[in-house]
Amino acid sequence: MSKEYYRKRIIDLRADLAKEKEAKKKDNAHYADMIKRASTPSSKATYRKAKIDHAASHDRRIESIKYQIESAKASLKREK
C-alpha cells in the first residue's frame, strides 16, 4: 500500500469517528426524551436499558475506529 492510501484512510477514519460521536449524542438525546415522556415505570426502565445498550455499542465502535486510526498511522510510519 502507498503512503497516500494510508493518509486518505486516516482522514476517512477521522470523519467516521466524528460521525459516530455525533450519532451517539443524537441517540442519547433521543432516549433521554423517550425516558422523560414514558408514562409507566416499566417503559422507563426499558428505555433506560436501551439507552445504555446503544451507548455501549457506540463506545465499542468509537474504540474500534480509534484502533484503526492507530493501525493506519503505524502502517504509514512503516512506509516512510
Side-chain angles (χ1 to χ4, degrees):
M1 305 275 176
S2 69
K3 288 188 257 185
E4 280 305 311
Y5 168 79
Y6 290 117
R7 287 185 185 125
K8 184 181 180 323
R9 179 92 173 120
I10 290 168
I11 291 168
D12 291 344
L13 287 169
R14 285 181 179 154
D16 289 346
L17 184 62
K19 286 179 191 172
E20 192 65 30
K21 285 181 178 181
E22 190 60 38
K24 181 180 176 183
K25 285 181 192 176
K26 195 177 208 181
D27 274 357
N28 279 341
H30 171 72
Y31 280 104
D33 187 51
M34 295 292 284
I35 291 166
K36 189 171 81 172
R37 294 179 192 280
S39 57
T40 64
S42 64
S43 62
K44 281 189 181 205
T46 302
Y47 289 135
R48 283 190 183 105
K49 183 177 179 342
K51 181 180 176 183
I52 291 168
D53 291 344
H54 281 89
S57 174
H58 284 295
D59 288 340
R60 285 190 301 273
R61 177 77 176 122
I62 288 169
E63 288 304 312
S64 172
I65 293 170
K66 285 180 180 178
Y67 176 79
Q68 290 175 18
I69 289 171
E70 292 305 313
S71 177
K73 283 181 180 178
S75 297
L76 178 61
K77 201 174 219 181
R78 281 194 303 271
E79 286 291 318
K80 288 186 176 180

